[in-house]
Coordinates of all heavy atoms in Angstrom, one line a residue:
D1 N -55.6 142.7 12.4 CA -56.8 142.1 11.9 C -57.3 142.7 10.6 O -57.6 142.0 9.6 CB -57.9 142.2 12.9 CG -57.6 141.3 14.2 OD1 -56.7 140.4 14.1 OD2 -58.2 141.5 15.2
N2 N -57.2 144.0 10.5 CA -57.7 144.7 9.3 C -56.7 144.4 8.1 O -57.2 144.2 7.0 CB -57.7 146.2 9.5 CG -58.8 146.6 10.4 OD1 -59.9 146.0 10.5 ND2 -58.6 147.7 11.1
C3 N -55.4 144.3 8.4 CA -54.5 144.0 7.3 C -54.7 142.6 6.8 O -54.7 142.4 5.6 CB -53.0 144.2 7.8 SG -52.5 145.9 8.0
V4 N -54.8 141.6 7.7 CA -55.0 140.2 7.3 C -56.3 140.1 6.5 O -56.3 139.4 5.5 CB -54.9 139.3 8.5 CG1 -55.3 137.9 8.2 CG2 -53.5 139.3 9.2
D5 N -57.3 140.8 7.0 CA -58.6 140.6 6.3 C -58.6 141.3 4.9 O -59.0 140.7 3.9 CB -59.7 141.3 7.2 CG -61.1 141.0 6.6 OD1 -61.3 139.9 6.1 OD2 -62.0 141.9 6.8
D6 N -58.1 142.5 4.8 CA -58.1 143.2 3.5 C -57.1 142.7 2.6 O -57.2 142.9 1.4 CB -57.8 144.7 3.8 CG -59.0 145.4 4.3 OD1 -60.2 144.9 4.2 OD2 -58.9 146.5 4.9
C7 N -56.1 141.9 3.1 CA -55.1 141.2 2.2 C -55.7 139.9 1.6 O -54.9 139.1 1.1 CB -53.8 141.0 2.9 SG -52.8 142.5 3.1
M8 N -57.0 139.7 1.9 CA -57.7 138.6 1.3 C -57.2 137.2 1.9 O -57.2 136.2 1.2 CB -57.6 138.6 -0.2 CG -58.1 139.8 -0.8 SD -57.9 139.9 -2.6 CE -56.2 140.1 -2.8
L9 N -56.8 137.2 3.1 CA -56.2 136.0 3.7 C -57.2 135.3 4.6 O -57.0 134.1 5.0 CB -55.0 136.3 4.5 CG -53.8 136.8 3.7 CD1 -52.7 137.4 4.7 CD2 -53.2 135.7 2.9
T10 N -58.3 135.9 4.9 CA -59.3 135.2 5.8 C -60.5 134.6 5.0 O -61.3 133.9 5.6 CB -59.9 136.3 6.8 OG1 -60.5 137.4 6.0 CG2 -58.9 136.8 7.7
N11 N -60.4 134.7 3.7 CA -61.4 134.1 2.8 C -60.8 132.9 2.2 O -59.9 133.0 1.3 CB -61.9 135.1 1.7 CG -63.1 134.5 0.9 OD1 -63.0 133.4 0.5 ND2 -64.1 135.4 0.8
P12 N -61.2 131.7 2.6 CA -60.6 130.4 2.1 C -60.6 130.3 0.6 O -59.6 129.9 -0.1 CB -61.4 129.3 2.7 CG -62.0 129.9 3.9 CD -62.3 131.3 3.6
N13 N -61.7 130.7 -0.1 CA -61.8 130.6 -1.5 C -60.9 131.6 -2.2 O -60.2 131.2 -3.2 CB -63.3 130.9 -2.0 CG -64.3 129.9 -1.5 OD1 -64.0 128.7 -1.5 ND2 -65.4 130.4 -1.1
L14 N -60.8 132.8 -1.7 CA -59.9 133.8 -2.3 C -58.4 133.3 -2.1 O -57.6 133.4 -3.0 CB -60.1 135.1 -1.6 CG -60.9 136.2 -2.4 CD1 -61.0 137.4 -1.6 CD2 -60.4 136.4 -3.8
L15 N -58.1 132.9 -0.9 CA -56.7 132.5 -0.6 C -56.3 131.3 -1.4 O -55.2 131.3 -2.0 CB -56.6 132.1 0.9 CG -55.2 131.7 1.4 CD1 -54.3 132.9 1.2 CD2 -55.3 131.4 2.9
Q16 N -57.2 130.3 -1.6 CA -56.9 129.2 -2.5 C -56.7 129.6 -3.9 O -55.8 129.1 -4.6 CB -58.0 128.1 -2.4 CG -57.7 126.8 -3.1 CD -58.3 126.8 -4.5 OE1 -59.1 127.6 -4.8 NE2 -57.8 125.9 -5.3
L17 N -57.5 130.5 -4.4 CA -57.4 131.0 -5.8 C -56.0 131.8 -6.0 O -55.4 131.6 -7.0 CB -58.5 132.0 -6.1 CG -59.7 131.4 -6.9 CD1 -60.8 132.4 -7.1 CD2 -59.2 130.8 -8.3
L18 N -55.7 132.6 -5.0 CA -54.4 133.3 -5.0 C -53.2 132.4 -5.1 O -52.3 132.6 -5.9 CB -54.3 134.3 -3.8 CG -55.1 135.6 -3.9 CD1 -55.0 136.3 -2.5 CD2 -54.6 136.5 -5.0
E19 N -53.3 131.3 -4.3 CA -52.2 130.3 -4.3 C -52.1 129.6 -5.6 O -51.0 129.4 -6.2 CB -52.4 129.3 -3.2 CG -51.3 128.3 -3.1 CD -51.6 127.2 -2.1 OE1 -52.5 126.4 -2.4 OE2 -50.9 127.0 -1.1
M20 N -53.3 129.3 -6.2 CA -53.3 128.6 -7.5 C -52.8 129.5 -8.6 O -52.0 129.0 -9.4 CB -54.8 128.2 -7.8 CG -54.9 127.4 -9.1 SD -55.1 128.4 -10.6 CE -56.7 129.1 -10.3
L21 N -53.2 130.7 -8.6 CA -52.7 131.7 -9.6 C -51.2 131.9 -9.5 O -50.5 131.9 -10.6 CB -53.5 133.0 -9.5 CG -54.9 133.0 -10.0 CD1 -55.6 134.3 -9.6 CD2 -55.0 132.8 -11.5
M22 N -50.7 132.0 -8.3 CA -49.3 132.3 -8.2 C -48.5 131.0 -8.5 O -47.4 131.1 -9.2 CB -48.9 132.7 -6.8 CG -49.4 134.2 -6.5 SD -48.7 134.9 -5.0 CE -49.8 134.2 -3.8
K23 N -49.0 129.8 -8.2 CA -48.3 128.6 -8.6 C -48.4 128.4 -10.1 O -47.4 128.0 -10.7 CB -49.0 127.4 -7.9 CG -48.3 126.1 -8.1 CD -48.9 125.0 -7.4 CE -48.1 123.7 -7.5 NZ -47.9 123.3 -8.9
L24 N -49.5 128.8 -10.7 CA -49.6 128.8 -12.2 C -48.5 129.7 -12.8 O -47.9 129.3 -13.8 CB -51.0 129.2 -12.6 CG -51.4 128.9 -14.1 CD1 -51.4 127.4 -14.4 CD2 -52.7 129.6 -14.4
C25 N -48.3 130.9 -12.3 CA -47.3 131.8 -12.8 C -45.9 131.2 -12.7 O -45.1 131.3 -13.6 CB -47.4 133.1 -12.0 SG -48.9 134.1 -12.3
A26 N -45.7 130.5 -11.5 CA -44.4 129.9 -11.3 C -44.2 128.7 -12.3 O -43.1 128.6 -12.9 CB -44.2 129.4 -9.9
D27 N -45.2 127.9 -12.5 CA -45.1 126.8 -13.4 C -44.9 127.3 -14.9 O -44.1 126.7 -15.6 CB -46.4 125.9 -13.4 CG -46.5 125.2 -12.1 OD1 -45.5 125.0 -11.4 OD2 -47.6 124.7 -11.8
F28 N -45.6 128.4 -15.2 CA -45.4 128.9 -16.6 C -44.0 129.5 -16.8 O -43.4 129.3 -17.9 CB -46.4 130.0 -16.8 CG -46.4 130.6 -18.2 CD1 -46.8 129.8 -19.3 CD2 -46.0 131.9 -18.5 CE1 -46.8 130.3 -20.6 CE2 -46.0 132.4 -19.8 CZ -46.4 131.6 -20.8
S29 N -43.5 130.1 -15.8 CA -42.1 130.6 -15.9 C -41.1 129.5 -16.1 O -40.2 129.5 -16.9 CB -41.7 131.4 -14.6 OG -42.6 132.5 -14.5
N30 N -41.3 128.4 -15.3 CA -40.4 127.2 -15.4 C -40.6 126.6 -16.8 O -39.6 126.1 -17.4 CB -40.7 126.2 -14.3 CG -40.4 126.7 -12.9 OD1 -39.5 127.6 -12.8 ND2 -41.1 126.3 -11.9
F31 N -41.8 126.6 -17.3 CA -42.1 126.0 -18.6 C -41.3 126.8 -19.7 O -40.6 126.2 -20.6 CB -43.6 126.1 -18.9 CG -43.9 125.9 -20.3 CD1 -43.8 124.6 -20.9 CD2 -44.4 126.9 -21.1 CE1 -44.2 124.4 -22.3 CE2 -44.8 126.7 -22.4 CZ -44.6 125.5 -23.0
L32 N -41.3 128.1 -19.7 CA -40.6 128.9 -20.7 C -39.1 128.8 -20.5 O -38.4 128.7 -21.5 CB -41.0 130.4 -20.5 CG -42.4 130.8 -21.1 CD1 -42.5 132.3 -21.0 CD2 -42.5 130.4 -22.5
Q33 N -38.6 128.7 -19.3 CA -37.2 128.4 -19.1 C -36.8 127.1 -19.6 O -35.7 126.9 -20.2 CB -36.8 128.6 -17.6 CG -37.0 130.0 -17.1 CD -36.5 130.1 -15.7 OE1 -35.4 129.7 -15.4 NE2 -37.3 130.7 -14.8
G34 N -37.7 126.1 -19.5 CA -37.4 124.8 -20.0 C -37.4 124.8 -21.5 O -36.5 124.1 -22.1
I35 N -38.2 125.6 -22.2 CA -38.2 125.7 -23.6 C -36.9 126.3 -24.1 O -36.3 125.9 -25.1 CB -39.4 126.6 -24.1 CG1 -40.7 125.8 -23.9 CG2 -39.2 127.0 -25.6 CD1 -40.8 124.5 -24.8
M36 N -36.4 127.3 -23.3 CA -35.1 127.9 -23.6 C -34.0 126.9 -23.5 O -33.1 126.8 -24.4 CB -34.8 129.1 -22.7 CG -33.6 129.9 -23.2 SD -33.3 131.4 -22.2 CE -32.4 130.6 -20.8
R37 N -34.0 126.1 -22.5 CA -33.0 125.1 -22.3 C -33.0 124.1 -23.5 O -32.0 123.7 -24.1 CB -33.2 124.3 -21.0 CG -32.9 125.1 -19.8 CD -32.9 124.1 -18.6 NE -32.7 124.8 -17.4 CZ -33.6 125.3 -16.5 NH1 -34.9 125.0 -16.9 NH2 -33.4 125.9 -15.4
C38 N -34.2 123.7 -23.9 CA -34.4 122.8 -25.0 C -33.9 123.4 -26.3 O -33.1 122.7 -27.1 CB -35.8 122.4 -25.2 SG -36.2 121.3 -26.5
S39 N -34.2 124.6 -26.5 CA -33.8 125.2 -27.8 C -32.2 125.4 -27.8 O -31.7 125.5 -28.9 CB -34.4 126.6 -28.0 OG -34.1 127.5 -26.9
M40 N -31.6 125.5 -26.7 CA -30.2 125.6 -26.6 C -29.5 124.3 -26.5 O -28.3 124.2 -26.6 CB -29.7 126.6 -25.5 CG -30.2 128.0 -25.6 SD -29.6 129.1 -24.3 CE -27.8 129.2 -24.7
D41 N -30.3 123.2 -26.2 CA -29.8 121.9 -26.0 C -28.8 121.8 -24.9 O -27.7 121.2 -25.0 CB -29.2 121.3 -27.3 CG -29.1 119.8 -27.2 OD1 -29.8 119.2 -26.4 OD2 -28.3 119.3 -28.0
I42 N -29.1 122.6 -23.8 CA -28.2 122.6 -22.6 C -29.0 122.4 -21.4 O -29.0 123.3 -20.5 CB -27.4 123.9 -22.6 CG1 -28.3 125.1 -22.8 CG2 -26.3 123.9 -23.6 CD1 -27.6 126.4 -22.6
S43 N -29.6 121.3 -21.3 CA -30.6 121.1 -20.2 C -29.9 121.0 -18.8 O -30.6 121.2 -17.8 CB -31.3 119.7 -20.4 OG -30.4 118.7 -20.5
V44 N -28.6 120.9 -18.8 CA -27.9 120.8 -17.5 C -27.4 122.1 -17.0 O -26.8 122.2 -16.0 CB -26.8 119.7 -17.5 CG1 -27.4 118.4 -17.7 CG2 -25.8 120.1 -18.6

């Protein structure tokens, strides 16, 4: 219980923000990799 609580998993607002931020990091990584593909013209 202490681990789940202190890991910020029992606060819906915090949990939703953490998910949003991590998804944003993933989307940004994919975006940069897409730019690299474009610059090399090897999208496949």
